[in-house]
Amino acid sequence: MQYWLEVKNYRNTIFGNDEVWHLSSKYSCEISNIARVRTIDRIIIQEQADKNGVYVDLRGDGTKTYVRDIVDSVFYTEGKIYKDGNKYNNAVSNLI
């Protein structure tokens, strides 16, 4: 988890709080340009990470929804890869 905290710090340092939010109708949530996820009621959802990437629990039942899938649904980026090869750095600007 220490690595994930460093990634979040990197994202916040590079992008600050200048976030633009986009609705994901497929997942009934919003995602920002730095790939933070929040509910429709604007409550930020805590991100977690496993060996497959960063995920959130949108329904509160333990189901993993990977942030990358939400990004793909909003920005049509399925199949894209990361510029720096870092699958945990899911800022939209880091997609090729």
Side-chain angles (χ1 to χ4, degrees), residues 4 19 42 44-45 52 56 59 69-71 87 93:
W4 175 230
E19 293 183 84
R42 297 185 175 187
I44 301 289
I45 301 173
N52 297 315
V56 292
R59 297 181 288 187
D69 294 335
I70 302 170
V71 169
K87 67 184 178 182
S93 64

Side-chain angles (χ1 to χ4, degrees), residues 20-21 26 31 33-34 36 53 55-56 62 67 82:
V20 178
W21 293 89
K26 179 177 180 179
I31 189 160
N33 57 320
I34 61 170
R36 278 193 245 229
Y55 66 90
V56 292
V67 173
Y82 296 115

Side-chain angles (χ1 to χ4, degrees), residues 20-52:
V20 178
W21 293 89
H22 305 273
L23 177 65
S24 170
S25 54
K26 179 177 180 179
Y27 292 99
S28 298
C29 65
E30 294 180 320
I31 189 160
S32 77
N33 57 320
I34 61 170
R36 278 193 245 229
V37 180
R38 69 183 184 187
T39 66
I40 301 300
D41 298 330
R42 297 185 175 187
I43 298 170
I44 301 289
I45 301 173
Q46 179 65 44
E47 301 164 323
Q48 299 179 55
D50 64 13
K51 65 179 182 174
N52 297 315

